[in-house]
Amino acid sequence: MDIAAERAYPTPLANSPLLPLLLLSLATQRNAPKSTTNFKEEYDYVIVGAGSAGSTLAARLSEEPCVSVLLLEAGTGKPPLLNDVPSLGRNFWFTNIDWQFMTVPQRHTGNALINRQIIWPAGKGLGGSSLLNGMLYVRGNHKDYDNWDAQGAKGWSFRDVWPYFLKLEDNRNPEFLANGYHAIGGPMTVEKPRYEAEMRSPLYEAAQKMGYNILDSNAARETGFNILQGTMRRRQRCSTAKAYLVPAENRTNLDIVAGAHVRKVLLNGRRATGVQFDIQNRTYEVKARREVIMSAGGTNTPQILMLSGIGPKEHLQNLGIPVVADLPVGENFQDHCGTITPYLLDPSIATTTQKVQNPQNIQEYIDNRSGPLAASEFVSIIAFLNSMLVSPNVDYPDHQIYFIEVPKEFPEQQVGFKPEVYEAIYGPYENNSMFICLSQHLHPRSRGIVLLNTTNPYDPPIIDPNYFADPDDIRPIVEGMKTCQKIATSESMQKVGAKPFETLFPGCEQFYGNDDSYFTCIARGAVVTLSHPVGTAKMGDPRDPTTVVDPLLRVKGIQGLRVVDASVMPTLPSGNTNIPTIMIAEKAADIIKQTFQCPSSYEFPNYDFETDFSNIRSIYDFWSYGR
């Protein structure tokens, strides 16, 4: 345990005298597996990226003793112990476990942001973005997956993917298990945060008075105010590295190599034969007997594919890269973005920084794993809503809202506001206790693109989410902001002194008093990413010219190459993408296992989830789910 290294991270706990004791308590859970700098010349499977998908896939494939697996990760093999504290995730932006990307200047939003650019956090290290995310346990809507299937991703309907949502889950809350929509025994531990913000009960009360349902959005219906669960294990962050790789670390057929920056996929004609990567300023090549599998995420996967000659022909030719396969890699780029509205809380309520630094709260977390340090990045409530009706008959929400306690550092450093904009809005209140309501569109029509900036694999890619290219994408966000305003100013929220900032958003003053116009102006001024990039290696019918991979996740026209991560999603699911990404990797592992058979072990079955649940425990008949 390196206390000096932990203190170097910009957390509110860096100077706490209780830090050594806290670190000792966190160290009772391993947050990363043993990694190695030694590797063989050849493996059956080489997986690029150890994030939410890659960690899952490496663990599942290496369950089979007759195959060898190499997992390569560009980031660190030793994430900080403090990263395990659930309330601190955002404190690790701009550190060595973040790729620290930025988008290009946006055309349709961003006039209140520095250079009109969006800050783009992305996890870098064993566990990937599950090191930085808000740990919210969200599956999406069953219609999302039925839509995938209808669009050509055959075998990915909700009926097909539902068993894998169960397979990954180990739910620790009996009241959730009792409703029949959850499971125990999977690698990902899921539980309710043991923290009750002062505003949480008033928020629920206000929502109920307005006619909204309070529910488990991962059960029969999604629309309503969600009872929050997170990917936590005994109220510490449960990354995919902790969940999947730590239990697999001693397998002799799995090598986990961190600090390995992949330069490109090696190709012999139209067959992937291995990868080229750098470790400590030396370049190596390793062969893949069976397959190379890209699991580097929605922005890094398309970058590596294009560096390898797989991508849009004209773009690659302009950079002098020989074209191996002319495919729309980097296109179909989608992301959830959101707009925030700020509110004050009663002065008697401590700020989040004060809460985290309070020695009593630190001790409470050490002793009981409860209190402010156990908060899911201080998210109190999320809701999935429909713009048209409070309680619609059709369960398919079009926007999501979050109520989050925030410190001043969030708007000051992590939104990217121009200094004068931050000062105008937040300056008078920066030392007050505050919360934001963030509204995001769930099904944006806008499409962006990821392209190469240069042929240097260390240069960040061009990231253009192209937010609001379709102006209709603003409408659901504005509807959510209006709901935020109604709830935050409700009689129930007066119990915690909630009230809107009196400062107005610069450039939007003339619209104040007209909620639609004012909130539209704010959305045009600034958005934040929800870090849900998908679609850049679209899955679907191989005859569809917009697809990159087929429903078995094989790259079209290239043998021995698959993509297994969020980039294959044809469209965004209705909510946060971490759990759907893990689901994709779970299903991909079974798809790949069907291509081989270990002679000295068991015969891999054609899985019949209707009669064999393996480690799944659920009392619900999933075939009839939502039907």
Side-chain angles (χ1 to χ4, degrees), residues 4-25:
E6 298 285 343
R7 289 190 192 278
Y9 286 94
T11 75
L13 298 172
N15 298 314
S16 171
L18 288 172
L19 180 62
L21 186 59
L22 172 62
L23 293 173
L24 281 172
S25 77

Side-chain angles (χ1 to χ4, degrees), residues 330-468:
E331 299 176 14
N332 189 48
F333 185 31
Q334 302 155 61
D335 179 48
H336 288 139
C337 71
T339 298
I340 61 176
T341 46
Y343 301 91
L344 290 171
L345 287 165
D346 190 276
S348 65
I349 297 174
T351 67
T352 57
T353 301
Q354 291 167 340
K355 288 179 178 181
V356 171
Q357 290 178 332
N358 186 321
Q360 288 182 323
N361 291 337
I362 299 172
Q363 193 66 53
E364 179 185 357
Y365 183 74
I366 292 170
D367 294 340
N368 304 312
R369 288 297 188 264
S370 59
L373 275 70
S376 292
E377 293 193 353
F378 286 102
V379 177
S380 282
I381 290 179
I382 60 174
F384 301 92
L385 305 175
N386 189 289
S387 297
M388 306 307 295
L389 297 166
V390 170
S391 184
N393 291 326
V394 177
D395 179 39
Y396 199 54
D398 63 4
H399 65 279
Q400 180 178 354
I401 61 175
Y402 307 66
F403 289 90
I404 314 169
E405 297 174 271
V406 295
K408 70 169 187 174
E409 286 79 11
F410 171 69
E412 184 179 37
Q413 300 171 14
Q414 297 180 345
V415 177
F417 282 127
K418 295 175 181 176
E420 62 271 23
V421 173
Y422 168 80
E423 188 58 37
I425 303 170
Y426 292 90
Y429 305 112
E430 63 180 9
N431 296 318
N432 293 68
S433 183
M434 68 178 80
F435 71 95
I436 60 166
C437 187
L438 185 150
S439 174
Q440 74 175 48
H441 186 6
L442 288 174
H443 307 293
R445 297 180 183 178
S446 301
R447 296 292 183 267
I449 195 165
V450 174
L451 295 168
L452 295 177
N453 198 13
T454 71
T455 57
N456 185 339
Y458 290 90
D459 286 344
I462 295 171
I463 301 170
D464 184 6
N466 200 23
Y467 296 134
F468 302 154

Side-chain angles (χ1 to χ4, degrees), residues 29-248:
Q29 291 186 35
R30 296 268 310 286
N31 71 350
K34 292 180 292 187
S35 57
T36 181
T37 55
N38 299 316
F39 49 90
K40 307 176 186 68
E41 292 183 358
E42 192 173 60
Y43 293 82
D44 291 307
Y45 296 95
V46 177
I47 301 172
V48 178
S52 293
S55 295
T56 302
L57 188 63
R60 290 304 192 191
L61 290 182
S62 62
E63 290 173 340
E64 304 302 320
C66 70
V67 299
S68 58
V69 180
L70 174 64
L71 178 62
L72 298 173
E73 168 55 43
T76 179
K78 295 182 179 180
L81 281 173
L82 282 174
N83 183 249
D84 255 24
V85 178
S87 64
L88 297 184
R90 285 184 173 273
N91 292 98
F92 295 95
W93 290 24
F94 315 120
T95 71
N96 70 317
I97 63 171
D98 176 12
W99 282 94
Q100 303 182 46
F101 289 151
M102 298 282 289
T103 71
V104 299
Q106 293 300 285
R107 293 176 291 282
H108 311 290
T109 183
N111 55 52
L113 303 176
I114 297 170
N115 298 327
R116 302 182 72 99
Q117 290 178 284
I118 313 295
I119 294 169
W120 195 265
K124 185 179 184 182
L126 296 178
S129 289
S130 68
L131 299 174
L132 297 183
N133 71 345
M135 298 160 288
L136 301 180
Y137 186 71
V138 177
R139 294 173 178 159
N141 191 285
H142 70 87
K143 187 176 179 182
D144 298 326
Y145 307 104
D146 290 341
N147 286 343
W148 290 6
D149 186 85
Q151 293 169 24
K154 297 301 181 184
W156 292 85
S157 70
F158 188 75
R159 178 188 174 104
D160 297 308
V161 304
W162 167 240
Y164 294 99
F165 281 122
L166 293 179
K167 187 177 182 181
L168 68 87
E169 181 180 326
D170 184 23
N171 204 300
R172 299 294 177 87
N173 297 127
E175 67 272 30
F176 283 80
L177 288 167
N179 71 28
Y181 291 84
H182 294 279
I184 62 172
M188 289 300 299
T189 309
V190 180
E191 58 192 16
K192 291 167 64 176
R194 197 178 290 170
Y195 167 64
E196 184 83 19
E198 293 87 347
M199 68 178 183
R200 186 170 178 269
S201 290
L203 283 169
Y204 276 134
E205 180 182 297
Q208 285 180 308
K209 286 183 177 179
M210 292 179 186
Y212 292 106
N213 294 320
I214 310 298
L215 44 70
D216 171 10
S217 289
N218 294 307
R221 288 178 62 83
E222 184 182 29
T223 307
F225 277 69
N226 184 47
I227 303 170
L228 205 66
Q229 283 194 302
T231 48
M232 301 180 192
R233 181 172 296 169
R234 297 189 297 279
R235 278 76 188 185
Q236 292 180 220
R237 177 183 291 273
C238 187
S239 70
T240 50
K242 177 184 291 188
Y244 284 90
L245 294 181
V246 169

Side-chain angles (χ1 to χ4, degrees), residues 44-46 271 288-293 560-562 592 595:
D44 291 307
Y45 296 95
V46 177
R271 179 170 184 85
R289 283 185 290 265
R290 291 178 176 268
E291 294 182 8
V292 173
I293 303 170
L561 181 61
R562 291 187 211 244
I592 295 168
T595 67

